Amino acid sequence: MKNTYLNKSYRDLSQKYPHEREFLQAVHLFFNEIEPVIDLHPEYQDQAVLERLVEPERAISFRVPWVNDQGKVKVNTGYRVQFSSVLGPYKGGIRFDPSVNLSILKFLGFEQTFKNALTGLPMGGGKGGADFDPRGKSDQEIMRFCQSFMTELYRHIGPDLDVPAGDIGVAGREIGYLYGQYKRLQGPKPGVLTGKPVILGGNESRPPATGYGLIYFLKQMLAETGQDLAGKTVMISGAGNVASHACRKAQELGAHVVTLSDIDYAIYDPKGIDLELVIQLRDDPQANLADYSKRHPQAQVRAQSVWDLAIEADIALPCATQNEMNHKQVKRLLNKGLGFIAEGANMPLTAEACRVVKEAEIPYAPGKASNAGGVAVSGLEMCQNAARLPMKPDQVDQRLQEIMTHIFSQCKEASLRYGGGLNYAFGADIASFEKVVEGLLQLGVV
């Protein structure tokens, strides 16, 4: 970065939070892209725009005591980072995973602020969670943990204040338990959480929305080069909600998906992934992805990252977690003919990997644009709850496609306007930054 204001802001932030690596990484990548806008607006320094955007409006941490099935008391740490309410109520998921800490949640809340801005829906940015591992826990243990977590969180959320949703480790079951405790403490307010079971006011289109939205954005990228998904070889990481639905939609559109993975194993099936079998193995506590090859002996199942598999592919869709894909892995894939990358996870490429992709000049979709489908449909669920009017799945899917097309158009237009060509990461950061800053300045000093 050559801009002195950007350099000073980042230096001050890194000195203030030296141990928050993920948060600093996200801010640094963002600052690099928005430099042309800052150059054009020296008045932003007098308004302390950057300082206000990188500091959460509120960050809450709290103790979460709960009792396991053996009657022993356990204690975890819960968080809610309410990053920005400039464009609407704080909106962002709850993550239950041992890796959860304040740095990760600040990075996610920061990214969420700009991702939500791209959707065009009135939502601010936030993120929350706990260092609780739901794997191997009974339903009763998960229920007790969720109830204890919500016993503190309920004070800080509401339909017009902060609307959490699911994330890693938090799906319909957990959202149901969380809402049950909120309802007990505050009364029925369906709009306080999204991603709820349908019977509780949720929308059945929410679970596939992130994965489907990713493919809808990818379709736009391909169309820009005169191509489509039919016949393309696709690598996907992960086997959870985003990855499985991205796989399903890609296969429906004629793509040849050859990989999926979890925290322990990566599957490469040259005949194409048997998605129903992967889901069955994923959801069976007595099985794991290593059992895939028992049904499909031609498949390779390795205890390694999916991105270390030495195979050729046209498209890579990292859908697992942050920093899952490094520069060496990207270079290897590029050497084997990789032509497109679209992120289904948040910041799945390391900073070095991003630089390699930028130098290669292949079409690359950043998570804040390409995985915005989930929060977009969460926003529609908020509208549905406020209006007390259910939406049909085909209505939601049509609206999702429109939103993802609009996000793509914003990224393309902003990149071209600032001379970046078809650089979607550059365009996504600029388009979202301009929206949030416009709102921030119109609110005065807040």
Side-chain angles (χ1 to χ4, degrees), residues 24 57 68 80 95 105 117 140 145 240 258 282 330 368 390:
L24 292 173
E57 293 177 13
N68 70 11
R80 188 66 183 172
R95 176 177 295 192
L105 294 179
Q140 290 299 306
F145 179 82
V258 294
R282 179 196 70 189
V330 171
K368 66 167 57 68

Side-chain angles (χ1 to χ4, degrees), residues 233-235 256-261 265-273 292-293 296-302 304 306 309-313:
T233 299
V234 180
M235 295 180 70
H256 187 57
V257 181
V258 294
T259 67
L260 284 175
S261 64
Y265 298 101
I267 300 171
Y268 166 53
D269 190 340
K271 291 187 177 180
I273 288 292
Y292 184 95
S293 58
H296 298 287
Q298 79 281 355
Q300 299 176 26
V301 182
R302 303 284 180 81
Q304 63 184 133
V306 70
L309 298 174
I311 60 178
E312 296 181 1

Side-chain angles (χ1 to χ4, degrees), residues 1 14-15 42 55-57 69 106 143 153 174 212 225 233 253 260 326 351 357 364 384-385 388 434:
M1 293 179 291
S14 58
Q15 289 174 352
E55 196 68 45
E57 293 177 13
D69 288 342
K106 284 174 68 175
M143 182 184 72
L153 184 66
E174 290 76 18
Y212 282 15
T225 65
T233 299
L253 295 173
L260 284 175
N326 64 40
V357 172
Y364 161 57
Q384 171 183 308
N385 293 157
R388 304 289 198 272
E434 289 180 329

Side-chain angles (χ1 to χ4, degrees), residues 210-290:
T210 307
Y212 282 15
L214 171 64
I215 301 303
Y216 295 150
F217 193 97
L218 175 62
K219 281 180 60 182
Q220 297 289 325
M221 291 171 64
L222 287 162
E224 197 65 35
T225 65
Q227 303 179 63
D228 60 31
L229 265 166
K232 292 289 190 296
T233 299
V234 180
M235 295 180 70
I236 300 177
S237 64
N241 184 52
V242 179
S244 60
H245 286 105
C247 178
R248 187 182 305 283
K249 182 58 68 174
Q251 289 176 333
E252 286 178 6
L253 295 173
H256 187 57
V257 181
V258 294
T259 67
L260 284 175
S261 64
D262 65 8
I263 194 170
D264 297 312
Y265 298 101
I267 300 171
Y268 166 53
D269 190 340
K271 291 187 177 180
I273 288 292
D274 180 346
L275 180 58
E276 301 312 317
L277 176 59
V278 170
I279 292 172
Q280 177 186 328
L281 296 173
R282 179 196 70 189
D283 295 342
D284 184 350
Q286 305 304 317
N288 58 52
L289 293 192

Side-chain angles (χ1 to χ4, degrees), residues 128-163:
D131 58 354
F132 170 77
D133 190 352
R135 291 172 298 181
K137 304 293 193 301
S138 70
D139 282 352
Q140 290 299 306
E141 288 175 321
I142 289 172
M143 182 184 72
R144 288 192 289 270
F145 179 82
C146 288
Q147 289 174 338
S148 182
F149 184 86
M150 184 56 77
T151 298
E152 174 59 32
L153 184 66
Y154 89 94
R155 298 176 172 86
H156 311 290
I157 63 176
D160 298 311
L161 172 62
D162 185 351
V163 183

Side-chain angles (χ1 to χ4, degrees), residues 38-115:
I38 299 299
D39 287 341
L40 286 177
H41 294 279
E43 71 275 14
Y44 285 175
Q45 183 165 1
D46 292 336
Q47 296 290 334
V49 163
L50 296 178
E51 292 87 343
R52 287 193 275 170
L53 288 180
V54 299
E55 196 68 45
E57 293 177 13
R58 190 175 297 106
I60 304 149
S61 66
F62 50 94
R63 182 182 64 203
V64 187
W66 57 284
V67 181
N68 70 11
D69 288 342
Q70 288 71 48
K72 293 184 178 180
V73 176
K74 300 289 184 178
V75 179
N76 289 91
T77 304
Y79 304 89
R80 188 66 183 172
V81 176
Q82 296 174 330
F83 217 100
S84 172
S85 60
V86 167
L87 299 181
Y90 308 107
K91 185 79 189 81
I94 292 172
R95 176 177 295 192
F96 289 166
D97 190 83
S99 68
V100 166
N101 57 42
L102 194 56
S103 173
I104 287 176
L105 294 179
K106 284 174 68 175
F107 124 64
L108 291 168
F110 180 77
E111 289 284 294
Q112 196 78 48
T113 297
F114 299 102
K115 179 191 302 185

